[in-house]
């Protein structure tokens, strides 16, 4: 699989603070962002893969809901993860 245990641990260590902090919202958003980027590249090559397209839409929705949670819970954590991942500010 393209996301090995070591790669995921590195993502969580960078964004969630510790490699074993897999439940944090920041770590989950970072992981979803990496998966979204991978699926986007896949769909550029395979335009008619509708199952992957649906999976991508579901992942984007999950990431958006986690970002909305962070926005309501702690605006500073939200701004830090947005800046760290280079995402647009989607919560208005």
């Amino acid at each position: 699989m393209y996301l090995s245990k070591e790669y995921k641990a590195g993502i969580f260590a960078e964004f969630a603070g510790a490699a074993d902090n897999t439940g944090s919202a920041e770590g989950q958003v970072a992981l979803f962002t990496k998966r979204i980027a991978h699926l986007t590249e896949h769909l550029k090559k395979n335009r008619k893969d509708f199952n992957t397209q649906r999976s991508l839409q579901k992942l984007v929705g999950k990431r958006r809901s986690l970002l909305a949670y962070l926005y309501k819970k702690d605006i500073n954590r939200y701004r830090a993860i947005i800046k760290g991942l280079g995402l647009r500010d989607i919560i208005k």
Side-chain angles (χ1 to χ4, degrees):
M1 190 173 172
Y2 67 97
L3 291 176
S4 65
K5 283 186 177 184
E6 295 82 19
Y7 186 72
K8 285 182 187 180
I11 290 173
F12 286 118
E14 182 180 353
F15 291 101
D20 59 349
N21 192 5
T22 59
S24 72
E26 292 93 343
Q28 291 293 318
V29 168
L31 185 64
F32 287 162
T33 302
K34 301 295 182 186
R35 290 177 62 195
I36 287 169
H38 177 77
L39 290 178
T40 302
E41 289 301 316
H42 173 77
L43 281 173
K44 286 180 182 177
K45 298 173 192 165
N46 305 295
R47 298 188 69 116
K48 294 188 178 183
D49 190 354
F50 299 114
N51 290 327
T52 302
Q53 188 176 10
R54 183 166 190 270
S55 298
L56 176 64
Q57 290 171 344
K58 288 179 69 121
L59 272 178
V60 169
K62 284 182 184 182
R63 181 178 71 179
R64 184 178 171 92
S65 67
L66 276 175
L67 286 172
Y69 166 77
L70 273 175
Y71 185 82
K72 287 186 272 185
K73 188 79 171 169
D74 187 2
I75 189 76
N76 294 327
R77 286 171 54 195
Y78 170 78
R79 289 183 180 145
I81 193 71
I82 290 293
K83 186 176 181 180
L85 291 173
L87 298 175
R88 289 184 293 143
D89 188 11
I90 59 171
I91 308 296
K92 301 291 182 201

